[in-house]
Amino acid sequence: NMKNVLGLRCDVTNTTECNISTVRVIRDGSILQFNILRIKDGGVLINKTANGTYYSINASHIIIENNGKIEGNVNISTANLTILGGGLINASALGFIGGDEDAGRGHGLGGGVGGGGSAASGAGYGGRGGNSSVNKGGASYGSIISPRDLGSGGGAGSSVPNAAGGTGGGAVFINATGN
């Protein structure tokens, strides 16, 4: 009952459980299916593509142990999700890119406004982004109740070399039914 489109091999497998204890790079659009998925200390399922592409994990039970990680824009469907202390699900900086290094506007619906010197503003999402001394923050968009969009990038300043705006956050969808 451990089938996936990627051909991902578990580090340890028995009849019902797949254990991951090493770093496994997941391709865009992959669908991973398991009965029980256990991500152990040092185990990582990772996809760092910041283009809005997701990978999916479907399992009856997912356990993320201390120092185990699921990283990337991911859609998780499970009956039970257990994240132990030190376990992590992370999609930081996997949204829209920030403005270029010459006062450029951040990408995305709420991209921050670039500004000369250090006057670039922050990106918006469920609320307006942070204002700078000169520019208003990026526009509010998306839902604060059911967020589905990737985060927008911040505006770039021009007072120092490589003052590009920060990349917006990615997205993690979790459907844990509790059955």
Side-chain angles (χ1 to χ4, degrees):
N1 195 3
M2 289 177 280
K3 159 184 139 173
N4 58 70
V5 298
L6 180 64
L8 175 77
R9 294 187 188 259
C10 305
D11 293 309
V12 175
T13 305
N14 63 37
T15 57
T16 61
E17 185 170 317
C18 172
N19 290 320
I20 302 293
S21 57
T22 58
V23 176
R24 302 296 180 145
V25 177
I26 309 302
R27 291 188 306 229
D28 294 346
S30 293
I31 300 170
L32 308 178
Q33 294 182 243
F34 306 97
N35 186 4
I36 299 170
L37 173 63
R38 181 179 299 270
I39 302 176
K40 301 179 81 54
D41 184 0
V44 182
L45 295 179
I46 185 170
N47 177 309
K48 288 291 195 175
T49 305
N51 64 5
T53 303
Y54 294 85
Y55 70 99
S56 296
I57 302 171
N58 302 312
S60 62
H61 194 112
I62 299 172
I63 304 110
I64 304 173
E65 296 182 357
N66 182 42
N67 293 320
K69 300 175 186 172
I70 294 175
E71 295 191 279
N73 293 321
V74 61
N75 186 336
I76 298 170
S77 294
T78 184
N80 296 291
L81 175 62
T82 303
I83 304 172
L84 301 176
L88 176 73
I89 299 175
N90 179 28
S92 295
L94 292 175
F96 291 99
I97 61 172
D100 66 22
E101 58 190 64
D102 189 22
R105 181 179 198 91
H107 297 262
L109 295 172
V113 178
S118 57
S121 68
Y125 182 77
R128 180 170 283 286
N131 295 335
S132 72
S133 59
V134 178
N135 294 307
K136 290 190 177 191
S140 173
Y141 69 101
S143 169
I144 60 173
I145 296 168
S146 182
R148 298 271 181 212
D149 302 302
L150 298 176
S152 295
S158 62
S159 62
V160 295
N162 299 318
T167 301
V172 173
F173 302 106
I174 299 173
N175 179 27
T177 61
N179 295 336

